[in-house]
Structures are given as C-alpha cells and as structure tokens.
Amino acid sequence: MHVRSSASFSTVRSIHLLAPTIAALFLALAPHASAQPSHNLASNNSSIVVNDNQQAAISSWIVDGVQQLHQISNLYRVGPAGPERSTHTLPLMLSTQTGPNGASVIYGNTQFTIQFDYGVIGGAPGSGYSRMGENVLITNLTAQPLEFHFFEYIDLDLSNTPGDDIGMPISPTQAQQFDSQTIVTTGVLQYDHHEYAFFPSLLNHLTNGGPSTLNDNPPFGVPFGIGDVTWALQWDFGGAGAVRPPIAPFGTTVITKFWECNSVPEPGTMLAMVLLTPVIRMRRRRR
C-alpha cells in the first residue's frame, strides 16, 4: 500500500477543475506561501525531514536511531532543451504539515504546478522496519499539451555507512539497495529510464546545464556496487521517443513512489543474492 493521505485525491480533483483559475491567480497566491523551511515527520520508530527550500527534498530518514539517507531530490525539464532544474527553484505556493507523519508542498508558475505529498509509517521500536512515500501531482495550467520530463535522484546511505552499498534495478516499477544490515525496496509508477553511479557522478550529470536522458545502466537484475551508490529515475511526458503523451491541457498526472526499509534477515543473504542473480537470469533465458 502506498503511503498516501486521503486528502490527496480531493486535491487532485480540485486542482484539475480549478487549473485555469489557479493560473490567473498565481501571482496573488504565491506571496502567501509558508516560510517554513522544513517539516519533521515521525511515526513509531521512524522519522523523515522534508524540505521546501533546498535541493534535498528529503534530507533525513532515521529508522531505530540510524540514518539511512543522504538525500532524495526532484528535478524537472519542460520541453526538449535543457537544463534540468530542481523543483525547489520554482515559486513556493504552499507548504503545510498535514499531520504528525505527513506534509504537502506545492510549487508552481503560470504554466504548471507540482504538488508533493509526503508520508512516513514506522514499525515497532527495534524492528528495523519503515516505509516512506511520495506522491507527485503535476498539473498543466495551460490550454496546450505540456511536454514535461521529471527526474528523481536517490542517495541512500544505508546503515549510515555509504561506502558499502549495492543497488539494483529490478524492473520498470521496482528497485533495491542494500548492505550487510539493511535493505530498501522501492516501488514506483513505471518509469522510462534509470541510471546508477557512484557519488557524485550522477548528480553532476543531472545538473550539468544540458538536457539529460538517463542511460539505463545497469540492466534490470544486474547489481551495481559496492560503494557510495546513487541512482535516478526518469519519467517522460511527450517528446522524442516518449511512450506517454504530453500532459493534457488543464490535466493532472500522478507519480506514486514508496521506499520500504527492512533489516537484512541474516548476514550474507544479500551477497548470496548478488552472486546468484546472473545464474538465475541465464537459466531464465534458456527456458
């Protein structure tokens, strides 16, 4: 189950119906945005920090007192030309904490808005379990189709030891990262491209001033690491080679994502999985 507040659905419907009004009133609404720089969300054994004024949209994920995250960042591009820009560089329209474990942040201009709904659900103390989620709602405020490219950059430092992680894209909707103590599984709306690299190569790629297309390396089922692993996902709405159409006039598209943290059941389990993965893939090809 994705971490999703019930208010998200009504917000999607409201933004969709009121998109022309939002565009007309944007300049009046924007100055009333909250100056709150961050939201500290907590549930049971877990906490996350959500920021609305810096590139790291999520800058902390603590599970049972252990830091698991360096940053999760969101970037976007309108049209085929670069560069990608961090969503936090857009005017901030709203930033509010919806409860002890939820927050909503909205950025926008006269062309589009991006709403982020964040949440965290922790497990029992000492369980090593936590789940955090992010819903992204992109609304076209214009009467023309909008070519839009969305990127999410993920830098997990599992067990607060960044140099010993392994990452692996499993499918267009799932990925994993793990070390000897912790495993995080990610589930997302089907993405178009992915890329894994050691810090800081990938972040440099996304912020180099030109348009980016992630390189789809490594292939699905092939592990990447060991090291300070980072990875990114890309969704294309319109543009050359895109599977999805542009975002429709006054329409909203939704991207759902979650990250689920668990303790590794026993030492060596993840290493064994990495060693066996190529054998399993070869056997599947032969059948």
Side-chain angles (χ1 to χ4, degrees):
M1 180 181 71
H2 295 301
V3 179
R4 180 193 294 261
S5 67
S6 59
S8 299
F9 299 101
S10 60
T11 306
V12 174
R13 184 165 55 250
S14 299
I15 289 178
H16 176 81
L17 294 175
L18 296 177
T21 305
I22 292 174
L25 297 179
F26 171 75
L27 292 178
L29 291 175
H32 297 288
S34 168
Q36 177 74 19
S38 63
H39 301 284
N40 299 298
L41 311 183
S43 171
N44 298 323
N45 68 337
S46 305
S47 66
I48 66 174
V49 174
V50 172
N51 304 288
D52 58 31
N53 63 354
Q54 64 183 45
Q55 186 177 52
I58 306 176
S59 58
S60 176
W61 184 17
I62 294 177
V63 183
D64 285 319
V66 179
Q67 181 64 260
Q68 306 290 352
L69 173 71
H70 179 62
Q71 73 176 83
I72 293 176
S73 301
N74 301 293
L75 302 95
Y76 74 95
R77 185 178 79 241
V78 176
E84 285 78 47
R85 303 182 187 278
S86 172
T87 56
H88 89 282
T89 62
L90 288 162
L92 177 64
M93 299 179 69
L94 177 70
S95 180
T96 182
Q97 189 153 332
T98 55
N101 66 334
S104 185
V105 179
I106 303 177
Y107 305 92
N109 54 30
T110 56
Q111 192 176 19
F112 62 88
T113 61
I114 306 180
Q115 174 174 333
F116 296 92
D117 293 328
Y118 300 99
V120 61
I121 297 176
S127 66
Y129 176 82
S130 180
R131 185 182 178 103
M132 66 173 175
E134 176 189 62
N135 288 340
V136 184
L137 291 68
I138 307 166
T139 299
N140 179 3
L141 300 180
T142 74
Q144 302 298 322
L146 180 67
E147 179 183 335
F148 198 92
H149 305 270
F150 185 81
F151 300 80
E152 182 135 288
Y153 169 79
I154 300 108
D155 185 355
L156 297 167
D157 290 348
L158 300 184
S159 312
N160 204 24
T161 55
D164 63 348
D165 287 4
I166 296 172
M168 183 165 60
I170 297 175
S171 73
T173 61
Q174 193 175 30
Q176 284 186 336
Q177 186 169 328
F178 48 85
D179 63 11
S180 61
Q181 302 177 63
T182 308
I183 178 169
V184 168
T185 300
T186 301
V188 299
L189 173 75
Q190 183 168 336
Y191 57 84
D192 299 297
H193 298 287
H194 67 269
E195 185 171 336
Y196 286 62
F198 295 121
F199 180 84
S201 297
L202 185 51
L203 189 59
N204 291 341
H205 177 194
L206 289 170
T207 57
N208 64 4
S212 300
T213 298
L214 302 182
N215 63 19
D216 295 323
N217 285 320
F220 294 122
V222 176
F224 177 86
I226 301 172
D228 190 355
V229 173
T230 67
W231 42 290
L233 307 176
Q234 176 177 347
W235 291 263
D236 297 317
F237 300 93
V243 176
R244 299 178 184 84
I247 302 174
F250 309 121
T252 297
T253 189
V254 180
I255 301 172
T256 59
K257 292 165 277 181
F258 73 86
W259 295 264
E260 187 171 87
C261 178
N262 285 280
S263 297
V264 171
E266 58 184 62
T269 299
M270 291 299 100
L271 178 60
M273 187 179 82
V274 170
L275 295 175
L276 288 172
T277 295
V279 176
I280 294 171
R281 293 177 74 242
M282 289 177 63
R283 287 176 178 171
R284 285 176 178 170
R285 288 196 188 104
R286 291 171 181 167
R287 290 178 182 175

